[in-house]
């Protein structure tokens, strides 16, 4: 136990004396939050909108006024034909077009109105957010116009919209950032920290000491568990204070699930370090085998349902995919364990498999 | 000062904050000379060499290398010198021919000249069978010899060698020194550092740095006579142990 | 205390060492002398249990290093090659860390490291990365000694270290030896061989000879003629034309290894006739390096054998 404590102390010295590690640990999460939180919301506020109003009049103008007054959109163009509309899109003078059909008012009161929203898909993320935003404003407006809301079901709603009523993209990104940070800290930093000892030659001394391999590995990993829990807490606090993103579900459950995911990431880190002999290889391996798939295939940025089938299949083996479902469920929907036992079981299985593999691969010798 | 001096250093000084790494060293190196530059770890050798290669600006003092001023013409200097250290190994994942081509290219040799020199060099070293293989397959001793040949492929006026023979077996080391002699015979000035002190005796003149200062400079024989020692190792130990630098 | 029996080890099909057998007695200061890539580190790694041999056996204090690796790990002090400690920990933090993992308080064995460590004492709070080369070696040695090992294994401790620090380091080793520690040390510097009790000369994974430094010199089966001249390069070329023998520059002399007795004065005359006027030839005492080079060639395993 004394050896273990000495080991952990040494690891903390390494971490706190290396500016780069510190920056990755604490600078990166904040930078990502701010990047995702602010950069994307300001874009939405300045969205340029064009209108093709085929039934001009008081009724349709009221709808357009409502949209502009939301400060979400600015009216930049009014067009009168499909050709004109496409032209405006080509010149990038508008992000989104709202097409109001002929006989809008009559159709509306008959419950058959259909407003077309066309978004510039060259930036799919922005397009999704804008389309959802426009839909939302139109629906609210319509609800105020008639007594029976059932009759507007024809327009349809977006699921994401439902859990993110203010359209704050930061809501979607907080769980994603936590997932990425946990992966980054635990997989990348832990594999680098083990391979660094290989490079320095100190690993040979550790092998030749009476230390048990389990003490070496646990001693290496313990600081990262503590630091990433701390990290997740900081991100949640910042998200709450700055962006007013609450945790709707049980905080306790959130931490327990995070701990499970941390273990998954750590066992991956150890596995990488049994293969890599230099810090550089470890970094490359963890970046390409874990970071990129985590960002691209976990559903964080691109929805899994819209991926080609082969990629959907691959996404199944990415731990972050399952954790993202869990963390979104707890934070945004306030769900309990009964709704996510399947994802939890999958993560547990993965962790056990990885730990087993690492133990099998871990050597008490160099070769 | 003689006209045939290729390095003239006059009170060359480099300070890092309060620490004076190189403390007003003055010396000259003549054309075609093999000049040994000795000093304990941390005596300031590396800093001094960096200044002479135009990689680091002196804090005070001046020096000309191959006729160019280290303060104002560092880029000219780089064209007229060669450099090799124990760390400078060739690109391991490129073949020997590719390495020679590359370095010939960065020293501005024309394609035709490179081709001709390259084949000469491969023949001289007797490594025809390795020529199209990767450098990593070459034994250490040959790597060092190849690195030296490449460092002088553009016939520089001076070649700086920083511990070129570290860890090399004794026979290869002597073959390496034969190559140094040949280069010196052709008029290339050789500026060399080493931890093998009997190698210092192969030099025409030797300087010994202690605590950033040039403690002595002469032929090995004169130094041994002056300090009444039978070899350079003992001379070095006596001078270097006067060091007061704690770090 | 240490016994290698017909040890062999290959990396990816290339043999690093083969058929290595030698013994090191208790309390001995034993040197493994050879250039980079000769196989010194491989042999030390097998002894310290971090590498498994492909063939043969190795014994440490009577214990097989493969089967009984735990015993070895408790009783060996090991300093790997180019080893550089934890650069971001201070001197005292490094020492404390190694003391703890070797399950010993620093005070208990302080007498063993006192002579080495007292020079480091003023810099206890300095980071290891900011120490000079010589100081780093001293700290590494202190860390390797902290648990009072039976055998100390030092892989190229003086590599790249200047002559003054090297001399100090060897003085420290002698001092430790007098306290009964068995020491195995490797080095590429031939002149350090004479500081050992016994040495093994090693090249390309094979042992050239094992003996005391004096014994190795005694077994030199040629006559060594020292040729003094200021024109070494020309004299070497001249000798190459005259004989089929080995001749190497040695400081300001040339050493010629003659399988038969020659007359120094007639060689002097012949060299003078070839334009090397300042020459003088005398029968000399060979050094370890002479023996090493002669053995390299005669065993025909010279790296550059053409």
């Amino acid at each position: 136990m004394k050896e273990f404590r000495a080991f952990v102390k040494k690891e903390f010295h390494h971490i706190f004396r290396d500016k780069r590690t510190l920056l990755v640990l604490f600078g990166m999460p904040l930078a990502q939050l701010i990047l995702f939180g602010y950069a994307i919301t300001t874009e939405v506020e300045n969205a340029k909108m064009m209108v093709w109003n085929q039934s001009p009049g008081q009724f349709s103008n009221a709808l357009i006024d409502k949209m502009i007054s939301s400060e979400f959109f600015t009216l930049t163009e009014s067009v009168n034909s499909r050709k004109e509309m496409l032209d405006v899109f080509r010149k990038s003078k508008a992000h989104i077009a709202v097409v109001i059909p002929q006989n809008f008012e009559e159709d509306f009161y008959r419950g058959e109105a259909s407003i077309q929203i066309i978004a510039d898909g060259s930036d799919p993320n922005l397009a999704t957010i804008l389309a959802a935003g426009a839909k939302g404003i139109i629906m609210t407006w319509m609800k105020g116009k008639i007594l029976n809301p059932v009759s507007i079901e024809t327009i349809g709603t977006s699921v994401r919209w439902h859990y993110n009523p203010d359209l704050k993209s930061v809501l979607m990104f907080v769980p994603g950032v936590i997932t990425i940070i946990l992966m980054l800290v635990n997989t990348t930093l832990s594999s680098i920290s083990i391979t660094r000892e290989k490079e320095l030659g100190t690993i040979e001394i550790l092998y030749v000491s009476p230390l048990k391999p389990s003490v070496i590995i646990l001693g290496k990993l313990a600081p990262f568990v503590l630091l990433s829990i701390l990290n997740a807490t900081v991100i949640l606090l910042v998200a709450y204070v700055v962006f007013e993103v609450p945790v709707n579900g049980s905080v306790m459950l959130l931490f327990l699930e995070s701990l499970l995911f941390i273990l998954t990431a750590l066992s991956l880190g150890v596995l990488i370090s049994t293969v890599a002999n230099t810090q550089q290889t470890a970094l490359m391996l963890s970046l390409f085998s874990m970071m990129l798939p985590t960002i691209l295939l976990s559903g964080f940025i691109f929805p899994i349902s819209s991926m080609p089938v082969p990629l959907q299949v691959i996404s199944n083996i990415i731990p972050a995919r399952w954790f993202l479902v869990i963390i979104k469920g707890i934070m945004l929907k306030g769900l309990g364990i009964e709704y996510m036992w399947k994802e939890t079981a999958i993560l547990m299985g993965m962790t056990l498999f990885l730990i087993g593999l690492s133990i099998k691969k871990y050597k008490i010798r160099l070769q | 000062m003689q006209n045939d001096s290729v390095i003239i250093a006059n009170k060359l000084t480099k300070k890092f904050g309060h620490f004076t790494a190189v403390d007003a060293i003055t010396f000259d190196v003549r054309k075609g000379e093999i000049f040994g530059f000795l000093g304990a770890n941390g005596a300031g050798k590396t800093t001094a060499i960096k200044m002479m290669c135009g990689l680091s600006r002196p804090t005070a003092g001046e020096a000309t290398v191959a006729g160019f001023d280290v303060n104002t013409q560092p880029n000219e200097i780089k064209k007229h010198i060669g450099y090799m250290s124990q760390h400078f190994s060739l690109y391991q994942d490129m073949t020997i021919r590719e390495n020679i081509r590359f370095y010939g290219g960065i020293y501005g040799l024309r394609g035709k000249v490179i081709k001709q020199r390259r084949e000469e060099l491969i023949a001289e070293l007797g490594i025809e069978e390795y020529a199209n293989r990767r450098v990593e397959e070459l034994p250490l001793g040959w790597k060092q010899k190849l690195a030296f040949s490449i460092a002088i492929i553009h016939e520089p006026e001076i070649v700086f060698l920083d511990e070129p023979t570290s860890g090399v077996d004794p026979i290869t080391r002597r073959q390496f020194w034969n190559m140094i002699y040949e280069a010196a015979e052709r008029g290339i000035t050789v500026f060399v550092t080493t931890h093998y002190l009997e190698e210092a005796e192969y030099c025409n003149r030797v300087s010994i740095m202690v605590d950033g200062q040039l403690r002595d400079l002469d032929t090995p024989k004169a130094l041994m006579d002056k300090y009444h020692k039978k070899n350079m190792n003992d001379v070095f130990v006596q001078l270097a142990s006067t060091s007061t630098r704690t770090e | 205390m240490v016994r290698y029996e017909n040890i062999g080890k290959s990396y990816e099909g290339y043999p690093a060492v083969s058929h290595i057998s030698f013994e090191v007695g208790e309390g001995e200061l034993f040197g493994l002398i050879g250039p980079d890539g000769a196989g010194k580190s491989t042999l030390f790694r097998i002894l310290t249990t971090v590498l498994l041999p492909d063939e043969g056996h190795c014994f440490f204090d009577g214990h097989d290093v493969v089967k009984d690796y735990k015993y070895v790990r408790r009783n060996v002090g090991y300093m790997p090659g180019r080893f550089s400690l934890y650069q971001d920990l201070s001197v005292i933090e490094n020492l404390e860390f190694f003391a703890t993992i070797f399950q010993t308080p620093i005070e208990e064995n302080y007498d063993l490291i006192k002579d080495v460590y007292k020079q480091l004492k003023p810099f206890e709070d300095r980071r290891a990365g900011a120490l000079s080369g010589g100081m780093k070696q001293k700290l590494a040695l202190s860390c390797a000694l902290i648990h009072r090992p039976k055998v100390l294994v030092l892989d190229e401790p003086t590599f790249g270290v200047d002559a003054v620090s090297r001399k100090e380091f060897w003085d420290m080793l002698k001092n430790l030896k007098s306290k009964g520690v068995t020491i195995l040390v490797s080095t590429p510097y031939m002149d350090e061989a004479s500081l050992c009790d016994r040495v093994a000369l090693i090249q390309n994974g094979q042992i050239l000879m094992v003996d005391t430094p004096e014994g190795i010199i005694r077994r030199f089966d040629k006559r060594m003629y020292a040729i003094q001249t200021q024109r070494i390069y020309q004299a070497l070329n001249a000798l190459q034309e005259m004989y089929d023998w080995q001749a190497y520059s040695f400081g300001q002399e040339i050493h010629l290894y003659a399988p038969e007795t020659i007359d120094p004065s007639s060689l002097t005359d012949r060299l003078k006739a070839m334009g090397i006027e300042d020459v003088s030839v005398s029968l000399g005492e060979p050094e370890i390096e002479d023996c090493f080079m002669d053995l390299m060639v005669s065993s025909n395993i010279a790296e550059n054998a053409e």
Side-chain angles (χ1 to χ4, degrees):
Chain A
M1 199 56 209
K2 206 175 139 210
E3 292 92 58
F4 180 72
R5 273 217 312 278
F7 208 106
V8 172
K9 196 172 132 201
K10 164 182 98 72
E11 291 305 318
F12 272 115
H13 281 319
H14 289 326
I15 293 167
F16 285 110
R17 286 176 189 178
D18 183 26
K19 288 200 186 81
R20 277 176 301 174
T21 310
L22 278 182
L23 201 67
V24 172
L25 258 175
F26 296 105
M28 183 111 154
L30 293 180
Q32 285 198 344
L33 261 191
I34 287 162
L35 212 71
F36 287 134
Y38 280 121
I40 291 175
T41 43
T42 48
E43 279 263 314
V44 172
E45 275 171 25
N46 296 327
K48 288 179 273 185
M49 180 180 81
M50 71 171 124
V51 172
W52 179 10
N53 195 347
Q54 295 171 8
S55 43
Q58 225 182 2
F59 190 73
S60 57
N61 283 347
L63 172 62
I64 294 167
D65 284 346
K66 173 78 183 168
M67 293 189 75
I68 299 168
S69 69
S70 74
E71 290 178 7
F72 207 77
F73 298 103
T74 327
L75 184 65
T76 52
E77 302 279 333
S78 281
V79 294
N80 287 311
S81 70
R82 190 176 169 75
K83 193 173 158 292
E84 271 182 77
M85 181 177 77
L86 293 179
D87 206 43
V88 171
F89 269 134
R90 249 180 245 121
K91 289 179 184 156
S92 293
K93 284 185 175 165
H95 296 114
I96 191 166
V98 175
V99 184
I100 299 174
Q102 287 172 349
N103 304 323
F104 177 54
E105 189 170 359
E106 296 97 275
D107 288 350
F108 178 78
Y109 285 114
R110 271 187 277 136
E112 286 170 10
S114 73
I115 292 177
Q116 204 182 1
I117 295 165
I118 303 169
D120 178 357
S122 55
D123 182 346
N125 277 322
L126 183 63
T128 317
I129 294 171
L130 290 181
K135 263 188 199 171
I137 296 168
I138 293 168
M139 269 177 56
T140 322
W141 179 78
M142 285 174 169
K143 273 182 193 164
K145 282 284 165 198
I146 51 174
L147 296 170
N148 185 3
V150 178
S151 62
I152 57 154
E153 279 303 306
T154 42
I155 288 179
T157 57
S158 135
V159 175
R160 204 193 297 209
W161 174 237
H162 182 72
Y163 293 112
N164 191 1
D166 301 325
L167 253 200
K168 281 203 295 191
S169 49
V170 69
L171 256 191
M172 270 114 66
F173 284 114
V174 167
V177 168
I178 292 182
T179 310
I180 288 189
I181 292 303
L182 291 185
M183 202 76 207
L184 181 80
V185 169
N186 294 301
T187 308
T188 315
L189 292 185
S190 67
S191 62
I192 285 181
S193 126
I194 297 177
T195 43
R196 181 164 71 166
E197 300 230 13
K198 285 194 189 177
E199 266 180 34
L200 269 177
T202 43
I203 198 91
E204 285 185 56
I205 305 260
L206 298 180
Y207 284 150
V208 176
S209 76
L211 278 186
K212 289 202 188 75
S214 57
V215 174
I216 299 179
I217 290 295
L218 290 178
K220 276 264 160 213
L221 302 187
F224 292 114
V225 176
L226 288 177
L227 287 174
S228 37
I229 291 277
L230 182 71
N231 230 315
T233 315
V234 170
I235 298 173
L236 286 175
L237 276 177
V238 170
Y240 183 72
V241 173
V242 180
F243 299 106
E244 293 163 17
V245 179
V247 177
N248 289 326
S250 151
V251 177
M252 192 62 205
L253 181 64
L254 185 62
F255 276 106
L256 284 177
E257 294 279 3
S258 300
L259 197 63
L260 175 63
F261 184 63
I262 288 169
L263 286 179
T264 322
L266 282 177
S267 44
L268 255 170
V270 175
L271 193 64
I272 288 173
S273 69
T274 59
V275 188
N277 278 323
T278 62
Q279 296 181 64
Q280 204 188 359
T281 324
L283 182 68
M284 295 298 255
L285 269 177
S286 54
L287 276 186
F288 286 108
S289 72
M290 291 323 305
M291 284 308 293
L292 291 183
T294 298
I295 294 174
L296 299 178
L297 295 180
S298 65
F300 169 35
I301 290 183
F302 308 113
I304 291 172
S305 54
S306 61
M307 285 177 196
V309 176
L311 287 183
Q312 288 194 27
V313 174
I314 294 175
S315 77
N316 281 329
I317 59 163
I318 292 166
R321 181 220 156 125
W322 306 105
F323 184 64
L324 211 55
V325 175
I326 295 174
I327 189 172
K328 273 187 179 170
I330 300 174
M331 281 189 69
L332 305 183
K333 301 185 194 173
L335 300 180
I337 181 77
E338 62 275 16
Y339 292 99
M340 51 191 64
W341 59 267
K342 191 186 97 186
E343 285 81 8
T344 309
I346 292 175
L347 269 188
M348 270 184 185
M350 282 181 170
T351 311
L352 286 176
F353 173 75
L354 287 170
I355 290 178
L357 203 61
S358 309
I359 289 176
K360 216 179 139 213
K361 281 241 164 197
Y362 185 80
K363 296 162 203 120
I364 53 162
R365 296 189 162 90
L366 288 178
Q367 288 264 319
Chain B
M1 290 196 195
Q2 285 113 326
N3 284 333
D4 62 346
S5 293
V6 289
I7 301 178
I8 303 164
N10 187 14
K11 296 192 176 148
L12 199 60
T13 302
K14 180 83 187 183
K15 289 184 183 170
F16 298 106
H18 295 294
F19 179 72
T20 308
V22 175
D23 191 1
I25 55 173
T26 300
F27 64 94
D28 66 296
V29 180
R30 295 166 207 140
K31 186 172 169 56
E33 189 172 32
I34 302 175
F35 189 89
F37 196 61
L38 307 184
N41 302 109
K45 277 179 303 177
T46 311
T47 313
I49 291 179
K50 276 189 182 156
M51 285 193 280
M52 284 182 273
C53 293
L55 298 174
S56 164
R57 265 170 176 272
T59 315
E62 57 217 41
T64 58
V65 174
F68 299 103
D69 190 319
V70 295
N71 278 305
T72 55
Q73 299 166 296
N75 290 326
E76 286 302 315
I77 290 177
K78 287 177 197 165
K79 285 182 202 156
H80 290 85
I81 60 170
Y83 178 76
M84 172 202 167
S85 82
Q86 55 165 336
H87 307 294
F88 161 74
S89 295
L90 310 154
Y91 289 97
Q92 303 282 330
D93 54 353
M94 286 176 15
T95 68
I96 288 161
R97 281 208 166 89
E98 286 164 351
N99 266 291
I100 300 174
R101 221 212 116 73
F102 172 72
Y103 282 106
I106 60 173
Y107 282 118
L109 294 186
R110 288 210 325 274
K112 242 173 132 181
V113 181
I114 295 178
K115 213 171 159 189
Q116 187 200 340
R117 292 250 174 97
R118 181 179 70 192
E119 297 313 312
E120 281 169 15
L121 197 154
I122 288 171
E124 272 167 36
L125 290 172
I127 50 174
E128 290 90 346
E129 55 165 328
Y130 281 102
N132 284 329
R133 283 158 69 178
R134 291 182 178 194
V135 166
E136 61 195 355
E137 295 176 47
L138 213 57
L140 174 75
W142 275 0
K143 272 184 208 165
Q144 299 294 85
K145 286 194 269 183
L146 179 64
F148 176 68
S149 306
I150 291 179
I152 58 169
I153 195 164
H154 55 304
E155 293 286 323
E157 280 165 66
I158 308 151
V159 60
F160 290 90
L161 307 175
D162 195 2
E163 291 180 36
T165 55
S166 273
V168 175
D169 75 71
I171 293 185
T172 309
R173 241 169 60 217
R174 285 170 174 81
Q175 292 169 345
F176 192 91
W177 272 91
N178 282 343
M179 293 176 67
I180 293 182
Y181 281 126
E182 279 166 26
E185 291 273 303
R186 288 212 304 272
I188 298 178
T189 307
V190 179
F191 191 96
V192 60
T193 74
T194 179
H195 282 311
Y196 293 93
L197 284 161
E198 91 270 3
E199 288 187 350
E201 298 175 23
Y202 304 154
C203 301
N204 300 114
R205 287 192 308 150
V206 170
S207 71
I208 297 177
M209 264 184 99
V210 178
D211 293 354
Q213 297 173 332
L214 211 60
R215 196 51 58 85
D216 214 332
L217 181 138
D218 214 325
T219 63
K221 188 159 185 324
L223 287 172
M224 287 186 273
D225 290 347
K226 180 174 172 187
Y227 294 99
H228 310 290
K229 302 287 182 199
K230 61 181 195 312
N231 57 41
M232 279 306 292
N233 193 62
D234 296 349
V235 173
F236 179 82
V237 169
Q238 177 172 340
L239 284 177
S241 45
T242 61
S243 166
T244 52
R245 248 179 215 177
T246 49
E247 189 253 358
Chain C
M1 198 67 181
V2 169
R3 192 163 84 242
Y4 286 90
E5 280 179 8
N6 202 28
I7 287 283
K9 174 81 192 173
S10 302
Y11 298 107
E12 289 160 8
Y14 293 101
V17 293
S18 48
H19 308 297
I20 301 283
S21 298
F22 65 88
E23 270 182 57
V24 180
E26 190 162 356
E28 216 176 1
L29 175 51
F30 189 91
L32 209 50
I33 318 279
D36 278 8
K40 304 186 300 285
S41 301
T42 304
L43 285 179
F44 279 176
R45 283 176 171 162
I46 289 171
L47 175 66
T48 53
T49 78
V50 284
L51 262 191
L52 288 175
D54 296 338
E55 300 171 60
H57 295 281
C58 180
F59 297 94
F60 178 101
D61 195 16
H63 296 73
D64 187 305
V65 299
V66 177
K67 288 189 200 113
D68 214 352
Y69 69 91
K70 284 189 176 154
Y71 178 83
V72 181
R73 291 181 178 192
R74 273 199 307 276
N75 291 292
V76 72
Y78 176 41
M79 215 173 112
R82 327 266 152 107
F83 168 62
S84 45
L85 303 150
Y86 294 109
Q87 308 285 319
D88 49 353
L89 298 190
S90 70
V91 170
I92 186 73
E93 282 165 351
N94 266 294
L95 193 67
E96 275 172 356
F97 174 71
F98 285 107
T100 316
I101 67 168
F102 282 102
Q103 297 155 342
T104 170
I106 294 179
E107 301 74 39
E108 195 170 307
N109 298 314
Y110 190 69
D111 62 300
L112 194 63
I113 63 162
K114 198 176 79 192
D115 294 329
V116 185
Y117 192 72
K118 70 179 178 212
Q119 304 174 56
L120 282 162
K121 199 96 190 174
F123 313 110
E124 267 193 335
D125 294 321
R126 190 180 286 192
R127 303 250 168 110
L131 294 174
S132 68
M135 285 295 189
K136 275 185 193 160
Q137 296 303 329
K138 282 169 201 157
L139 177 57
L141 184 63
S142 303
C143 292
L145 277 171
I146 192 70
H147 57 301
R148 195 177 284 275
K150 291 188 172 156
V151 177
L152 189 59
V153 180
L154 310 170
D155 194 3
E156 298 203 340
T158 54
F159 185 88
V161 176
D162 66 71
V164 176
S165 305
R166 262 156 63 193
K167 188 172 174 302
E168 278 178 14
F169 197 83
W170 278 96
D171 288 343
M172 289 186 285
L173 291 189
K174 263 186 208 153
N175 193 2
L176 284 171
K177 179 185 133 62
S178 71
K179 289 175 176 159
V181 185
T182 307
I183 302 169
L184 272 81
V185 58
S186 71
T187 175
Y189 301 103
M190 303 282 154
D191 55 338
E192 293 181 343
S194 59
L195 303 167
C196 303
D197 296 332
R198 285 197 312 137
V199 296
L201 304 184
I202 179 168
Q203 165 76 8
N204 280 11
Q206 291 177 36
I207 299 267
L208 299 174
M209 194 178 271
V210 182
D211 208 332
T212 60
E214 302 76 34
I216 284 177
I217 289 168
R218 218 179 304 119
R219 281 156 72 182
F220 185 70
D221 60 0
K222 301 194 175 66
R223 307 196 131 236
M224 198 282 276
Y225 292 94
I227 298 156
Q228 284 175 320
T229 169
Q230 288 294 307
R231 309 182 59 186
I232 289 190
Y233 183 58
Q234 292 85 341
L236 270 175
N237 286 339
L239 287 167
Q240 229 159 37
E241 274 175 42
M242 275 188 246
Y243 304 109
D244 195 17
W245 304 338
Q246 299 172 69
Y248 301 107
S249 52
F250 245 86
Q252 300 224 299
E253 308 179 329
I254 293 171
H255 287 185
L256 175 70
Y257 310 151
E260 60 201 57
T261 308
I262 55 168
D263 178 15
S265 59
S266 74
L267 178 57
T268 309
D269 293 342
R270 284 176 71 187
L271 285 169
K272 277 186 179 161
M274 294 177 83
I276 302 154
E277 277 105 22
D278 64 339
V279 73
S280 73
V281 180
S282 58
L283 189 62
E285 271 291 308
E287 300 169 22
I288 294 285
E289 192 157 353
D290 293 305
C291 303
F292 191 94
M293 288 195 282
D294 183 49
L295 286 166
M296 263 176 84
V297 172
S298 60
S299 63
N300 199 22
I301 54 170
E303 197 176 347
N304 302 312
E306 277 152 61

